[in-house]
Amino acid sequence: MHRLNCTSYLINIIHEAQAGQLAWPIAHMVKYFCLRIHSPFYAAGYLPGKLYDLNSSRYGTEAELKALTGALHQRGIKAVADVVINHRTATKQDARGVWCIFEGGTPDGRLNWGPSFICRDDVQYADGRGNLDSGDGYDAAPDIDHLNPRVQTELTDWMNWLKDGIGFDGWRFDFAKGYAPGVMRVYMEKTSPDFAVAEIWNAISYGQDGKPSYAQDAHRNDLARWVQNAGGRISVFDFATKGILHAAVCGEWWRMRDGNSKPPGMIGNLPQNSVTFIDNHDTGSTQKLWPFPPDKLMQGYAYILTHPGLPSIFYDHFFQWGLMGQIEALAAVRRRNGIHETSTVDILAAEADAYVAMIDGKIIVKIGPKFDVNNLIPPNFKIAITGKDYALWEKNI
């Protein structure tokens, strides 16, 4: 699989209007820009129905979507589809009066399924003939049986149609913990995306004080095992780094160095498969299920845009919060110095009020309210960026 290089960023677009036009102001930041749009083949958002029907959605038409992916490619931008396949909404009721008859949106019956294609332990919808769910359950819609060979074949055919017929280059798998990583391995091998990232949102561990536990090894190791069991080619969102950063920016920067003097999130043990982020459409935006401290956003971006992993920039923060210039400046430093997914991190200080790290021996970042850290900055480094409670130095060449 072609992996995105150090100048790549995954931009979460959650706004449904004019998504393609809004991407252009940041096209100059990257060589490859992976755009995750609110997929128009889901008329009901994250409750998909007729997957092949792109003309009955309030988000646009099939022709408009092809035009968008084509325009992205003309600008060197890759398009990532938000793939929701764990569950589906039915279009008809069966003889029992249960909504469990699915239609794919084509005349030849592709993706036309019945109750036997639902996990049998999803008793609200199933008829008892499907396999047991291989992952976590989903209450809002029928859980599709991903161990069914026809399900795997028809979903991979559909994704390949999105690539070859519509112009998508990769996938963002929603609620990927709803089926086994071995199933994900099949989908990855049979669709060969340029890039793919899975949402495996499991809670990090917390102490009795309500704050994240210092050690998050169990959480990040679970993510790493899931990646390996899925074949090792897919990335996952680094929820561990996000959760630890929540506490760190509130005067606990000592959390950002683990017991082995490495970053404490997944970027500390499997950075090449880690997509770091500050917020997304679930954690922030209108849902606010787990929002990052709003007055500390740039401290968070100063961390993920200078560290290993593939950083993800949230649409709201870039376009609506007035942070475009500051984020662009950080991205420019990352690009100019070739910081990438597996860059090395030398943590020089991790105290309550200051975190200082050297990355690849090329840049130094200081985050936190402590001002004077000059004793940690070598004389051959010059200041590149200063912001509220963060600063960056670059090595003189």
Side-chain angles (χ1 to χ4, degrees):
M1 181 180 73
H2 166 69
R3 292 200 60 80
L4 302 177
N5 66 19
C6 65
T7 60
S8 304
Y9 304 94
L10 182 67
I11 307 295
N12 286 334
I13 299 297
I14 65 164
H15 199 279
E16 66 190 45
Q18 303 298 320
Q21 294 178 27
L22 291 174
W24 308 149
I26 49 176
H28 70 279
M29 292 169 51
V30 297
K31 183 177 179 181
Y32 295 100
F33 171 86
C34 291
L35 172 68
R36 200 272 289 177
I37 62 174
H38 222 327
S39 307
F41 35 81
Y42 304 142
Y46 285 88
L47 298 175
K50 295 181 179 180
L51 297 181
Y52 278 104
D53 184 3
L54 303 186
N55 292 311
S56 61
S57 167
R58 63 189 176 96
Y59 295 115
T61 66
E62 180 174 332
E64 290 171 331
L65 183 57
K66 288 181 179 179
L68 172 59
T69 58
L72 292 172
H73 293 155
Q74 289 176 7
R75 292 163 172 82
I77 298 172
K78 292 184 180 291
V80 176
D82 192 356
V83 173
V84 184
I85 54 176
N86 171 72
H87 49 273
R88 285 183 74 185
T89 54
T91 55
K92 297 178 181 178
Q93 296 170 291
D94 68 358
R96 302 171 298 165
V98 176
W99 290 93
C100 60
I101 305 299
F102 308 96
E103 295 179 347
T106 66
D108 58 9
R110 284 172 291 169
L111 294 174
N112 287 5
W113 301 338
S116 65
F117 290 78
I118 301 172
C119 298
R120 70 168 180 261
D121 43 345
D122 192 355
V123 295
Q124 181 180 355
Y125 302 101
D127 63 2
R129 290 183 289 166
N131 293 291
L132 292 173
D133 198 339
S134 63
D136 289 3
Y138 186 84
D139 295 335
D143 275 315
I144 298 303
D145 176 12
H146 285 268
L147 299 181
N148 184 313
R150 181 178 163 187
V151 167
Q152 293 183 6
T153 297
E154 294 191 359
L155 285 177
T156 54
D157 287 346
W158 172 68
M159 284 188 277
N160 282 323
W161 171 73
L162 290 178
K163 283 179 56 184
D164 301 333
I166 306 302
F168 281 105
D169 305 286
W171 322 123
R172 179 261 185 195
F173 288 98
D174 179 73
F175 200 76
K177 66 178 183 177
Y179 41 93
V183 173
M184 181 64 77
R185 183 171 190 161
V186 171
Y187 294 144
M188 289 291 294
E189 290 176 350
K190 291 188 176 181
T191 64
S192 300
D194 286 351
F195 170 76
V197 59
E199 178 199 38
I200 308 293
W201 187 355
N202 294 321
I204 64 174
S205 62
Y206 288 85
Q208 293 183 348
D209 58 359
K211 295 182 178 181
S213 302
Y214 169 69
Q216 295 291 339
D217 289 344
H219 185 277
R220 65 179 180 177
N221 289 341
D222 283 346
L223 286 176
R225 277 192 296 271
W226 188 95
V227 167
Q228 296 302 327
N229 290 335
R233 299 175 61 204
I234 192 169
S235 296
V236 294
F237 289 107
D238 189 351
F239 282 92
T241 290
K242 172 178 168 59
I244 300 167
L245 269 175
H246 272 237
V249 298
C250 296
E252 298 180 357
W253 281 104
W254 50 267
R255 293 179 176 274
M256 302 312 296
R257 177 165 53 191
D258 71 8
N260 296 313
S261 294
K262 294 183 177 181
M266 189 175 167
I267 62 172
N269 65 343
L270 199 64
Q272 64 270 29
N273 296 90
S274 302
V275 174
T276 54
F277 69 106
I278 300 302
D279 267 325
N280 60 30
H281 64 288
D282 287 320
T283 66
S285 192
T286 56
Q287 295 195 77
K288 294 182 174 60
L289 298 179
W290 195 27
F292 201 82
D295 59 333
K296 313 287 186 182
L297 290 175
M298 284 311 304
Q299 293 184 54
Y301 279 113
Y303 184 86
I304 68 171
L305 286 171
T306 58
H307 278 62
L310 182 66
S312 170
I313 301 168
F314 187 39
Y315 169 87
D316 290 26
H317 298 160
F318 195 82
F319 287 106
Q320 298 178 347
W321 288 60
L323 303 178
M324 181 184 295
Q326 295 178 76
I327 291 174
E328 284 184 324
L330 290 169
V333 171
R334 182 183 182 91
R335 181 178 65 251
R336 189 162 58 239
N337 290 277
I339 307 304
H340 52 86
E341 290 98 322
T342 56
S343 288
T344 60
V345 179
D346 181 11
I347 300 175
L348 306 178
E351 305 165 358
D353 57 354
Y355 171 84
V356 184
M358 180 184 294
I359 297 85
D360 279 349
K362 298 178 179 179
I363 66 173
I364 296 175
V365 60
K366 187 278 295 185
I367 317 174
K370 186 175 181 178
F371 180 78
D372 186 6
V373 294
N374 289 330
N375 62 310
L376 299 174
I377 311 301
N380 58 336
F381 278 73
K382 62 180 179 180
I383 193 72
I385 296 176
T386 58
K388 180 174 171 51
D389 295 335
Y390 72 92
L392 267 72
W393 292 260
E394 292 180 277
K395 188 175 183 179
N396 286 320
I397 298 176

